């Protein structure tokens, strides 16, 4: 059974409220995206396997645990997913990072892929796809389809905000993928924006509007 989780930790709710505020400026917005990504990373990696090791403390020998098993790869969806990478890497610094470039055609809302560069050994890695916004779900669905075609079998998706339409579409298209988001909003508007949402994540991270 895959996980579909709204991670409503108080710190995440607080930071997402600041992200929603139209008066939050670019630098603060960027910092908050990174911080929420770090908090979501904590929850999404809860099931990583560990193994026991022996460590000499200044006092005695400790039997303790370290991460074991498959290595990780982060795949941000360009552009806005880039804003989540630093926060994730601060938790899992050894992860490799691939990139998928997708933009939504503003008329059809269909995603258009323009770039894809993934680690060569992506098939052997646990992959975490990053995008702050899960709106119609089209971008996340296409990105994950591309990653699966390269052989990856263990994939998670982390987003900041989701619309019910996007959550449902992603879960139906890729029922094996665990989904972690910080908040589930009311709906999409007729332009495919999440309501109430936070606006255009890419533009707010990069200051392009
Ligand atoms: C935004 C967002 C997601 C996508 C979500 O990207 O970052 O990738 O829209 O919408 P969907 O779930 O309906 O596909 P956008 O297309 O605006 O590109 P950008 O990040 O380059 O601005
Ligand atoms: N992409 C965004 O950046 N914001 C939305 O609300 C929907 C898609």
């Amino acid at each position: 059974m895959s996980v579909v989780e709204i991670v409503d930790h108080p710190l995440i709710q607080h930071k997402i409220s600041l992200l929603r505020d139209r008066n939050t400026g670019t630098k603060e917005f960027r910092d908050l995206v990174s911080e929420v990504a770090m908090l979501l990373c904590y929850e999404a990696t809860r099931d990583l396997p560990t193994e026991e090791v022996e460590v000499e403390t200044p006092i005695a020998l400790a039997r303790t645990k370290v991460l074991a098993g498959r290595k990780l790869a982060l795949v941000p969806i360009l552009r806005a997913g880039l804003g989540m990478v630093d926060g994730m890497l601060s938790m899992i610094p050894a992860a490799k990072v691939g990139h998928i470039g997708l933009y939504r055609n503003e008329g059809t809302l269909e995603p258009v892929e323009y770039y894809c560069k993934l680690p060569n050994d992506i098939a052997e890695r646990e992959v975490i796809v990053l995008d702050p916004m899960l709106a119609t779900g089209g971008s996340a669905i296409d990105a994950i389809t591309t990653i699966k075609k390269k052989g990856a079998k263990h994939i998670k998706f982390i987003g900041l905000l989701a619309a019910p339409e996007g959550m449902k579409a992603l879960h139906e298209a890729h029922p094996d993928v665990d989904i972690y988001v910080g908040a589930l909003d009311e709906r999409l508007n007729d332009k495919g924006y999440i309501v109430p949402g936070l606006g255009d994540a890419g533009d707010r991270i990069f200051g392009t509007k």
Side-chain angles (χ1 to χ4, degrees):
M1 265 294 273
S2 62
V3 174
V4 177
E5 187 176 337
I6 296 138
V7 189
D8 59 353
H9 188 285
L11 287 175
I12 294 177
Q13 291 185 55
H14 180 84
K15 289 175 191 295
I16 286 181
S17 299
L18 297 172
L19 283 169
R20 291 185 191 282
D21 188 337
R22 66 183 310 152
N23 296 313
T24 298
T26 303
K27 173 170 185 332
E28 194 187 352
F29 191 90
R30 218 179 265 152
D31 291 347
L32 286 162
V33 168
S34 188
E35 288 165 14
V36 177
M38 189 165 68
L39 293 165
L40 290 168
C41 175
Y42 176 81
E43 186 59 27
T45 52
R46 185 177 282 284
D47 65 346
L48 287 182
T50 56
E51 65 189 4
E52 218 169 66
V53 292
E54 278 189 353
V55 172
E56 244 181 85
T57 81
I59 310 295
L61 205 61
R63 292 200 65 77
T64 184
K65 290 186 175 172
V66 294
L67 291 174
R70 262 188 307 277
K71 302 266 190 295
L72 293 163
L74 306 177
V75 182
I77 300 178
L78 308 182
R79 292 176 297 163
L82 284 176
M84 300 171 70
V85 173
D86 281 356
M88 295 286 300
L89 283 176
S90 65
M91 293 289 104
I92 39 175
K96 288 196 177 172
V97 183
H99 295 86
I100 292 190
L102 288 171
Y103 69 87
R104 292 198 311 178
N105 176 306
E106 283 181 11
T108 63
L109 299 182
E110 289 297 316
V112 181
E113 187 174 317
Y114 59 88
Y115 186 76
C116 180
K117 180 80 181 169
L118 300 173
N120 289 337
D121 59 354
I122 192 85
E124 281 82 59
R125 288 183 177 261
E126 174 128 6
V127 179
I128 306 182
V129 177
L130 307 172
D131 194 326
M133 309 306 275
L134 185 59
T136 65
S139 303
I141 291 169
D142 269 29
I144 290 169
T145 300
T146 297
I147 293 165
K148 283 185 175 174
K149 280 188 190 150
K150 307 272 181 188
K153 285 171 202 65
H154 303 273
I155 303 174
K156 297 181 182 193
F157 175 86
I158 300 184
L160 268 50
L161 288 192
E165 295 90 329
M167 281 287 251
K168 183 166 180 289
L170 177 55
H171 185 57
E172 282 176 3
H174 295 294
D176 54 313
V177 170
D178 293 337
I179 304 171
Y180 298 86
V181 296
L184 182 63
D185 275 15
E186 284 165 27
R187 62 185 170 88
L188 293 177
N189 69 13
D190 58 1
K191 293 198 170 68
Y193 276 82
I194 299 176
V195 180
L198 51 72
D200 187 305
D203 282 343
R204 293 197 67 190
I205 291 169
F206 296 107
T208 38
K209 237 178 217 164

